[in-house]
């Protein structure tokens, strides 16, 4: 594609023109010029939009697709379109498929089926065989096939020796290990944050302690074994403090927060609406504020949508029986801009790519154009009409959001929202 982006505010704190209005020229998919003003060239598409902002393309570190095996929830083709129209140029896809992505064959399927799209798909391989938490999966083979990290989605590793071995083994090929932060023996049949709301509603609790114990254990294992650890979707104030202390000790650890936990508290559960049944559960206002503060000071490395499409048979049930999960990609920018500045939002939406893929996407001349276009202006109420996913289990329905995504430019394609 050949295009000129006109008078866009550049959000890139490593660029000399950060915060300035600039023109950007793309020729055959490569970013060839960036300046405060560029003259027109023949046969180039003009992209000129109100309050246009541009940043490096966003990366979502936790996305569930469905395919293979659960195509009724989401297909790869539609899911990649959802990601593109939500502003993401890269997504890490969880291994909760059928079959579980625990060998090179499934990883190859995901890579092959997703090729040619504007959005790059990066598979996360299961850490253990069939995600059962007993024996390590074929980690090296999956890495060779294209897996960028290894973890059992929303399943904690009970056996500490297994996690220790994974951290040691993956050092041989610079692999990234994910460990879901939950001590399962403290969460038997838990449905919601253990606290006042759960007591009032008669719901079995998931104590914050379960998260703190698992993170503390995993950080001790990381200090002992070495390696690279990512803790997905932390949800409490104490978890932020634990990760911050580990980073100050020099441990190679990162963490993410789900946009739902950043935006909502367990007060949303009072109507027993299963759209708000997520894992980790929505916590207290104190926790939510600590998560925002942790994002702003850099303790929390990235925000994920933790996008998990589920069909109506799994969500429109009594609260106890409904499955954990919500879709959130379509609302991620709008929710985030209600909480933090555009600069903080962009950092949170771009930092994950380097951690997971080893590649840092930048707005630089000579680089393949990998950009997200958005506006920070305007507020809107999120409605069903804005849902592009096949599944409709959206916690953000009715939420007041700020700004919107205009589209992405990636892999020599412009996808408008």
């Amino acid at each position: 594609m050949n295009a000129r982006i006109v008078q866009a505010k550049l959000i890139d704190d490593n660029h000399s023109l950060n915060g300035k209005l600039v023109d950007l020229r793309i020729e055959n998919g490569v970013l060839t010029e960036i300046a405060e003003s560029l003259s027109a060239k023949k046969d180039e598409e003009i992209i000129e939009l109100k309050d246009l902002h541009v940043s490096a393309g966003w990366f979502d570190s936790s996305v569930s697709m469905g395919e293979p095996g659960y195509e009724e929830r989401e297909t790869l083709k539609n899911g990649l379109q959802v990601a593109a129209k939500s502003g993401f140029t890269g997504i890490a896809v969880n291994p909760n498929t059928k079959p579980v992505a625990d060998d090179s064959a499934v990883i190859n399927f995901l890579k092959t089926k997703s090729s040619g799209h504007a959005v790059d798909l990066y598979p996360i391989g299961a850490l253990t065989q069939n995600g059962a938490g007993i024996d390590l999966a074929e980690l090296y083979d999956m890495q060779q096939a294209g897996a960028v990290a290894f973890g059992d989605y929303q399943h904690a590793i009970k056996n500490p020796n297994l996690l220790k071995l994974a951290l040691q083994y993956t050092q041989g090929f610079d692999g990234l290990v994910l460990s879901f932060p939950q001590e399962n023996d403290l969460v038997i049949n838990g449905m919601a944050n253990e606290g006042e709301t759960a007591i009032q509603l008669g719901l079995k609790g998931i104590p914050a302690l379960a998260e703190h114990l698992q993170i503390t254990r995993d950080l001790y294992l990381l200090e002992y074994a070495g390696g690279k650890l990512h803790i997905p979707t932390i949800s409490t104030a104490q978890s932020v403090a634990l990760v911050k202390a580990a980073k100050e000790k020099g441990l190679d650890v990162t963490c993410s927060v789900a946009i739902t936990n950043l935006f909502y508290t367990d007060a949303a559960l009072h109507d027993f609406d299963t759209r708000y049944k997520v894992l980790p559960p929505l916590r207290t206002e104190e926790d939510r504020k600590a998560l925002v503060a942790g994002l702003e000071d850099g303790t929390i490395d990235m925000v994920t949508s933790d996008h998990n499409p589920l069909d109506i048979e799994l969500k429109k049930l009594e609260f106890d029986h409904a499955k954990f999960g919500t879709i959130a990609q379509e609302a991620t920018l709008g929710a985030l801009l209600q909480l933090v500045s555009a600069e903080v939002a962009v950092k949170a939406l771009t930092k994950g790519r380097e951690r997971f893929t080893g590649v840092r996407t930048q707005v630089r001349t000579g680089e393949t154009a990998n950009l997200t276009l958005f506006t920070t202006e305007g507020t809107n109420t999120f409605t069903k009409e804005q849902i592009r996913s096949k599944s409709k289990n959206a916690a953000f329905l009715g939420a007041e959001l700020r700004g919107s995504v205009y589209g992405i430019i990636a892999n020599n394609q412009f996808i408008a929202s």
Side-chain angles (χ1 to χ4, degrees):
M1 65 172 293
N2 296 321
R4 179 164 53 95
I5 302 172
V6 178
Q7 292 301 281
K9 185 176 181 180
L10 178 61
I11 307 295
D12 184 338
D13 60 2
N14 291 312
H15 200 290
S16 60
L17 293 173
N18 178 44
K20 302 281 184 66
L21 291 176
V22 298
D23 288 0
L24 303 94
R25 176 166 284 123
I26 299 163
E27 297 177 289
N28 296 318
V30 175
L31 190 53
T32 57
E33 293 182 83
I34 306 172
E36 294 189 13
S37 180
L38 293 173
S39 58
K41 280 191 175 182
K42 188 178 179 181
D43 297 328
E44 64 180 7
E45 182 178 357
I46 305 300
I47 301 174
E48 187 172 12
L49 298 160
K50 183 181 179 183
D51 184 52
L52 178 58
H53 289 57
V54 63
S55 73
W58 303 343
F59 181 86
D60 195 341
S61 61
S62 178
V63 179
S64 298
M65 278 291 190
E67 188 178 2
Y70 300 111
E71 286 83 358
E72 72 279 6
R73 302 179 190 176
E74 188 59 278
T75 62
L76 289 169
K77 181 179 179 181
N78 189 68
L80 289 166
Q81 279 292 109
V82 173
K85 292 177 180 291
S86 301
F88 296 96
T89 64
I91 57 173
V93 172
N94 295 311
N96 55 335
T97 52
K98 187 179 181 180
V100 171
D102 65 353
D103 61 29
S104 58
V106 184
I107 301 300
N108 278 321
F109 169 82
L110 291 167
K111 294 295 290 184
T112 301
K113 191 76 181 285
S114 63
S115 65
H117 289 267
V119 177
D120 291 316
L121 184 151
Y122 299 96
I124 298 172
L127 185 69
T128 64
Q129 293 176 22
N130 203 36
I134 299 173
D135 298 304
L136 288 180
E138 300 171 359
L139 307 186
Y140 179 71
D141 287 351
M142 287 191 286
Q143 188 263 353
Q144 291 295 294
V148 295
F150 308 97
D152 295 341
Y153 179 63
Q154 292 191 345
H155 290 284
I157 302 300
K158 181 177 178 62
N159 183 347
N161 189 53
L162 194 65
L163 183 60
K164 184 199 77 169
L165 290 173
L167 288 167
Q168 291 172 329
Y169 178 65
T170 51
Q171 290 175 52
F173 51 91
D174 198 31
L176 178 64
V177 174
L178 278 58
S179 181
F180 185 67
Q182 181 170 284
E183 170 49 71
N184 288 331
D185 287 340
L186 290 171
V187 188
I188 298 172
N189 298 322
M191 296 289 121
N193 178 56
E194 184 178 86
E196 184 178 332
T197 298
I199 292 170
Q200 290 174 349
L201 299 178
L203 297 173
K204 292 181 179 179
I206 299 176
L209 177 64
E211 184 167 309
H212 306 156
L213 284 179
Q214 192 79 358
I215 289 176
T216 300
R217 185 206 74 169
D218 291 354
L219 291 173
Y220 272 117
L221 288 170
L222 178 65
E223 186 172 13
Y224 176 83
K228 294 165 59 176
L229 179 68
H230 176 71
I231 303 172
T233 59
I234 68 171
S235 67
T236 74
Q238 180 63 19
S239 296
V240 176
L242 288 168
V243 172
K244 185 173 185 178
K247 288 185 172 186
E248 289 172 350
K249 291 174 69 173
L251 298 185
D252 193 351
V253 61
T254 52
C255 68
S256 66
V257 62
I259 187 62
T260 318
N261 291 90
L262 204 62
F263 194 84
Y264 288 108
T265 70
D266 56 0
L269 301 179
H270 277 289
D271 291 330
F272 294 97
D273 191 330
T274 60
R275 291 180 298 121
Y276 301 105
K277 185 180 179 181
V278 293
L279 196 66
L282 302 177
R283 302 287 189 183
T284 67
E285 177 65 6
E286 178 185 359
D287 290 317
R288 192 196 67 78
K289 287 180 177 178
L291 293 171
V292 174
L295 189 63
E296 290 179 325
D297 70 17
T299 300
I300 297 175
D301 300 274
M302 59 199 83
V303 169
T304 174
S305 69
D306 203 22
H307 187 78
N308 190 1
L310 298 168
D311 54 73
I312 193 169
E313 287 83 3
L314 297 173
K315 289 299 281 187
K316 199 166 186 181
L317 301 167
E318 297 86 353
F319 200 91
D320 280 3
H321 298 295
K323 190 175 177 66
F324 291 102
T326 182
I327 58 171
Q329 273 196 332
E330 298 97 323
T332 296
L333 172 69
L336 198 49
L337 288 179
Q338 288 284 44
L339 304 171
V340 297
S341 68
E343 290 73 19
V344 172
V346 166
K347 283 184 183 179
L349 293 172
T350 56
K351 196 172 181 181
R353 189 187 302 265
E354 185 173 10
R355 181 61 166 173
F356 276 72
T357 73
V359 176
R360 182 178 183 180
T361 303
Q362 300 183 84
V363 187
R364 296 290 186 276
T365 56
E367 299 273 348
T368 299
N370 192 300
L371 307 170
T372 299
L373 312 178
F374 64 102
T375 175
T376 62
E377 285 190 352
T379 58
N380 66 91
T381 301
F382 190 72
T383 64
K384 287 183 178 179
E385 288 69 35
Q386 292 168 272
I387 295 176
R388 297 184 173 93
S389 303
K390 284 187 69 177
S391 296
K392 309 302 177 186
N393 55 312
F396 284 94
L397 281 174
E400 287 295 315
L401 307 180
R402 180 175 299 278
S404 59
V405 173
Y406 282 134
I408 64 167
I409 296 174
N411 290 324
N412 204 20
Q413 299 174 54
F414 175 39
I415 308 296
S417 295

